[in-house]
C-alpha cells in the first residue's frame, strides 16, 4: 500500500480502500477493525468510516441500481466503483453532508488512488448524476425485484421470506436489516452484579439500559464497550441479546453436572453456561479448528471461568466416538448461513445462496444426530441457529425428531418469557421483533421411559 494511503487520516479514502478489500473477500468487521487500529483517527472520523463501510455494503444493490445507467457496463477498477458507490450513499442516505463536499472529496480521492484520467472520469459521472438524478426504485414493476433493490437483499431471499412469513412481515424484516445494530453485553455475575456493571459503564460515559430480552444483559450506547474497564476486568462480555436465549433454555440448575457445547467458538455461550454452573460442574467446549479453540480459552481466561471449561478441538460429528460418558445438557449452536446477523455482517446477504442453506441444514442434522448419542436419559439438548429460514430450522427439527424416536420436543423457555404466549414449541426471533439478531431455538429432551 502506498504511503499516501497508509498514512492517510481521511475516513472517506480509507472507506473506499476497505470496501475494495471486502469485495475481494475480506470480512467487513475484521477489515474495518484493522483499518481503525492502524490509523490514528478522531472519534468522529471513526464513526464516519464505519458508517460509510457498513452503509455502502448494506445498500449495495440499490446504489448499483442508481449507478448502472451512468457507467453503462464499463469495466471499472474496484476502487473506482466503491468510490462512486460511497459518494451515492453519502448523497442520498446521509443528510448532514453537503453535496459539494461529497464531490470535492471524491475527486480528491480519485487523484490519490488513481491518476488524472480517473479523477476526470469520477468528476464526469458525478456531474452527470447531478444533472439527471437517479432512478426511482419505487417504479420497478415486479414487486419481488422492487423489494430486492429497495432493501438490497437478493431476490432468492426475498422470495423465500415471502413464502415463509408473508408480505407484511417480510417488508418489516427487510426494513430492519439496514438499521444500526444495538451493542449489548452479558454481565459476568461471578465477578460483578448487573448493577455494578451498569454503574461502571455509566462512569465511563456510556448510556446503559436493561435488556428486555435476556437475563443479566445490558444494552449500551455512546461508546466502545470492548475498551472499557469493566470489559477488560472480565465483568462483562459483548453478546447479542437473542444469542443469550439458547443457554437460558438449557435449564441449568444444581442438578446439572456436565454440559457439552458442541460448536462453541468463540465461546460466548460457553462462558454463559460456565457462569451459571454450580459446584464442580463443567462444560466441555468443542470446535473443529485449533485457532478457534484458542479463542474459547482466551475468553474463559478473561472472564475468570477457565476452571469451569474444558476446550478441545473436535469435529462435532465425532462426538459419539470421542466421549464414553453422557452429558446432562448439550448445546448445538450449529454452523448456519447467518442470515439473522445481516445488521452486523451485511455482506453475508450477497455471499449466501439457497444451495448453501440446504447444505448447512444437512450439516446441522448430522451434528445433532451425533450429539444426541451422548445425551443422558432425562437430559436436555438445545439446538439453535442465527438464521431465520425454515430450511435450517423447522425442517431440521422435523427430520431430527423423525430419526430419533426417543427424543421429544419441549417448549423453549427463557428467563423473561420471550413470546411466551406463542403456540409453537420452538422460539423464533426475527430481527424486527426486538431489534436484535435473528435467532432460532429448539429444545429437546430424552424420554425417561
Amino acid at each position: 500500500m502506498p504511503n499516501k494511503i497508509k498514512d492517510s487520516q481521511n475516513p472517506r479514502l480509507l472507506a473506499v480502500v476497505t470496501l475494495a478489500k471486502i469485495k475481494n473477500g475480506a470480512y467487513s468487521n475484521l477489515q474495518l477493525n484493522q483499518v481503525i487500529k492502524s490509523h490514528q483517527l478522531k472519534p468522529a472520523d471513526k464513526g464516519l468510516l464505519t458508517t460509510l463501510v457498513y452503509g455502502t455494503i448494506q445498500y449495495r444493490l440499490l446504489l448499483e441500481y442508481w449507478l448502472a445507467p451512468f457507467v453503462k457496463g464499463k469495466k471499472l477498477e474496484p476502487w473506482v466503483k466503491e468510490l462512486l458507490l460511497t459518494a451515492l450513499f453519502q448523497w442520498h442516505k446521509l443528510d448532514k453532508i453537503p453535496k459539494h463536499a461529497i464531490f470535492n472529496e471524491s475527486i480528491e480521492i480519485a487523484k490519490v488512488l488513481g491518476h488524472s484520467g480517473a479523477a476526470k472520469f469520477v468528476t464526469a459521472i458525478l456531474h452527470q448524476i447531478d444533472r439527471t438524478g437517479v432512478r426511482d426504485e419505487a417504479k420497478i414493476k415486479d414487486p419481488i425485484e422492487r423489494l430486492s433493490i429497495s432493501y438490497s437483499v437478493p431476490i432468492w431471499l426475498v422470495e423465500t421470506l415471502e413464502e415463509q412469513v408473508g408480505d407484511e412481515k417480510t417488508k418489516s424484516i427487510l426494513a430492519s436489516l439496514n438499521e444500526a445494530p444495538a451493542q449489548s453485553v452479558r454481565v459476568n455475575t461471578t465477578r460483578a452484579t448487573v448493577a455494578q456493571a451498569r454503574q461502571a459503564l455509566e462512569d465511563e460515559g456510556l448510556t446503559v439500559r436493561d435488556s428486555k430480552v435476556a437475563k443479566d444483559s445490558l444494552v449500551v450506547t455512546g461508546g466502545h464497550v470492548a475498551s472499557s474497564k469493566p470489559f477488560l476486568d472480565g465483568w462483562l462480555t459483548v453478546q447479542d441479546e437473542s444469542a443469550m436465549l439458547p443457554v437460558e433454555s438449557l435449564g441449568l440448575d444444581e442438578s446439572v453436572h456436565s454440559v457439552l457445547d458442541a460448536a462453541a467458538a468463540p465461546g460466548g455461550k460457553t462462558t454463559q453456561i460456565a457462569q451459571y454452573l454450580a459446584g464442580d460442574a463443567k462444560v466441555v467446549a468443542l470446535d473443529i479448528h485449533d485457532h478457534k479453540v484458542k479463542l474459547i480459552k482466551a475468553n474463559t481466561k478473561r472472564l475468570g471461568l477457565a476452571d469451569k471449561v474444558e476446550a478441545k478441538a473436535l469435529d462435532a460429528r465425532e462426538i459419539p466416538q470421542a466421549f464414553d460418558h453422557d452429558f446432562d445438557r448439550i448445546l448445538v449452536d450449529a454452523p448456519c448461513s447467518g442470515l439473522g446477523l445481516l445488521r452486523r455482517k451485511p455482506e453475508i446477504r450477497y455471499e449466501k445462496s439457497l444451495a448453501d442453506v440446504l447444505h448447512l441444514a444437512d450439516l446441522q442434522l448430522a451434528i445433532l444426530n451425533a450429539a444426541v448419542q451422548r445425551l443422558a436419559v432425562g437430559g436436555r439438548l438445545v439446538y439453535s441457529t442465527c438464521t431465520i429460514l425454515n430450511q435450517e430450522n423447522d425442517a431440521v427439527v422435523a427430520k431430527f425428531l423423525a430419526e430419533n424416536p426417543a427424543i421429544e420436543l419441549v417448549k423453549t423457555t427463557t428467563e423473561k418469557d420471550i413470546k411466551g404466549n406463542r403456540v409453537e414449541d420452538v422460539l423464533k426471533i426475527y430481527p424486527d421483533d426486538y431489534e436484535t439478531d435473528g435467532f432460532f431455538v429448539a429444545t429437546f429432551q430424552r424420554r425417561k421411559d
Side-chain angles (χ1 to χ4, degrees):
M1 184 186 291
N3 285 333
K4 56 188 175 182
I5 299 173
K6 201 179 279 186
D7 300 333
S8 176
Q9 308 286 313
N10 184 336
R12 291 180 175 86
L13 184 149
L14 294 174
V16 171
V17 174
T18 301
L19 285 162
K21 288 182 178 178
I22 293 168
K23 199 73 174 71
N24 197 38
Y27 290 111
S28 61
N29 56 337
L30 299 180
Q31 188 61 40
L32 186 59
N33 286 340
Q34 184 180 326
V35 171
I36 289 173
K37 283 181 181 178
S38 58
H39 292 79
Q40 300 300 313
L41 298 175
K42 299 174 184 175
D45 288 339
K46 286 181 187 177
L48 179 57
L49 169 62
T50 302
T51 298
L52 291 179
V53 170
Y54 281 126
T56 302
I57 297 172
Q58 286 171 331
Y59 289 101
R60 181 172 293 279
L61 295 185
L62 177 59
L63 299 173
E64 289 180 342
Y65 177 77
W66 286 340
L67 180 62
F70 302 99
V71 296
K72 293 174 182 170
K74 290 187 180 78
K75 186 166 176 61
L76 305 179
E77 286 191 59
W79 69 264
V80 173
K81 184 175 182 180
E82 300 306 318
L83 175 60
L84 291 169
L85 295 180
T86 58
L88 281 167
F89 171 70
Q90 294 172 80
W91 195 348
H92 292 279
K93 290 295 181 181
L94 301 180
D95 55 9
K96 293 182 180 178
I97 302 178
K99 182 175 66 179
H100 68 83
I102 297 169
F103 278 39
N104 292 341
E105 285 280 353
S106 299
I107 293 164
E108 286 304 311
I109 290 169
K111 291 176 182 175
V112 173
L113 296 180
H115 46 70
S116 59
K120 287 178 182 177
F121 175 77
V122 169
T123 303
I125 294 294
L126 291 176
H127 284 292
Q128 191 180 353
I129 295 172
D130 192 30
R131 286 194 301 272
T132 62
V134 296
R135 293 187 286 181
D136 183 359
E137 66 278 6
K139 293 181 179 178
I140 298 173
K141 291 183 179 179
D142 181 84
I144 298 295
E145 183 187 1
R146 184 166 60 247
L147 286 176
S148 171
I149 296 297
S150 297
Y151 294 110
S152 282
V153 174
I155 284 175
W156 75 267
L157 183 51
V158 178
E159 289 175 336
T160 306
L161 285 172
E162 287 271 1
E163 290 169 7
Q164 295 181 2
V165 300
D167 184 62
E168 185 177 342
K169 184 65 172 177
T170 294
K171 289 176 180 175
S172 178
I173 291 170
L174 295 180
S176 77
L177 293 179
N178 290 336
E179 295 171 356
Q183 184 177 213
S184 57
V185 301
R186 189 189 78 251
V187 177
N188 177 12
T189 50
T190 67
R191 286 197 166 175
T193 65
V194 174
Q196 287 171 330
R198 180 177 189 144
Q199 187 61 56
L201 289 167
E202 289 176 342
D203 288 346
E204 294 197 23
L206 287 84
T207 301
V208 187
R209 66 171 173 82
D210 290 334
S211 168
K212 297 177 182 178
V213 176
K215 175 186 177 183
D216 297 329
S217 177
L218 299 168
V219 181
V220 185
T221 55
H224 189 241
V225 168
S227 50
S228 68
K229 189 174 188 298
F231 179 90
L232 298 173
D233 287 347
W235 284 22
L236 47 87
T237 193
V238 177
Q239 188 178 13
D240 187 76
E241 296 163 89
S242 58
M244 303 177 204
L245 301 181
V247 171
E248 291 187 11
S249 192
L250 280 172
L252 299 173
D253 56 32
E254 291 185 358
S255 71
V256 175
H257 299 288
S258 60
V259 184
L260 177 66
D261 189 351
K269 295 178 184 66
T270 301
T271 56
Q272 185 181 0
I273 292 167
Q275 81 179 55
Y276 296 124
L277 290 179
D280 60 356
K282 286 197 172 187
V283 54
V284 177
L286 310 179
D287 193 89
I288 194 170
H289 301 292
D290 284 313
H291 71 279
K292 290 190 175 181
V293 172
K294 289 178 182 176
L295 288 177
I296 298 171
K297 290 179 177 178
N299 270 324
T300 60
K301 184 178 180 181
R302 182 179 65 81
L303 295 168
L305 295 166
D307 62 327
K308 289 281 185 182
V309 179
E310 179 189 350
K312 56 194 297 183
L314 183 75
D315 186 327
R317 290 169 290 188
E318 298 173 5
I319 286 171
Q321 299 78 37
F323 298 96
D324 59 4
H325 63 278
D326 292 340
F327 293 88
D328 299 324
R329 300 287 188 271
I330 297 177
L331 174 63
V332 176
D333 185 46
C336 70
S337 61
L339 294 170
L341 309 179
L342 295 189
R343 282 199 195 96
R344 299 181 197 283
K345 299 179 179 179
E347 70 272 21
I348 289 175
R349 69 186 78 187
Y350 311 118
E351 297 170 353
K352 300 296 181 182
S353 67
L354 190 54
D356 294 324
V357 169
L358 297 173
H359 168 73
L360 286 161
D362 290 339
L363 175 61
Q364 291 154 10
L365 182 61
I367 293 173
L368 280 171
N369 280 333
V372 76
Q373 294 182 52
R374 287 291 172 258
L375 181 64
V377 173
R380 185 175 291 187
L381 184 155
V382 170
Y383 163 62
S384 61
T385 71
C386 53
T387 193
I388 54 177
L389 298 186
N390 292 347
Q391 288 90 338
E392 292 177 84
N393 297 332
D394 300 81
V396 173
V397 168
K399 289 178 183 176
F400 177 61
L401 289 171
E403 295 176 17
N404 295 275
I407 301 299
E408 62 181 337
L409 182 67
V410 297
K411 189 164 187 175
T412 292
T413 58
T414 65
E415 293 288 338
K416 299 198 175 185
D417 198 27
I418 297 301
K419 296 190 175 182
N421 60 352
R422 68 188 189 280
V423 174
E424 57 190 353
D425 290 325
V426 299
L427 176 61
K428 297 177 182 178
I429 305 292
Y430 291 100
D432 61 322
D433 290 340
Y434 303 101
E435 298 178 357
T436 66
D437 291 344
F439 243 83
F440 173 89
V441 189
T443 308
F444 306 97
Q445 192 161 306
R446 183 176 291 282
R447 302 180 199 273
K448 293 181 180 179
D449 49 7

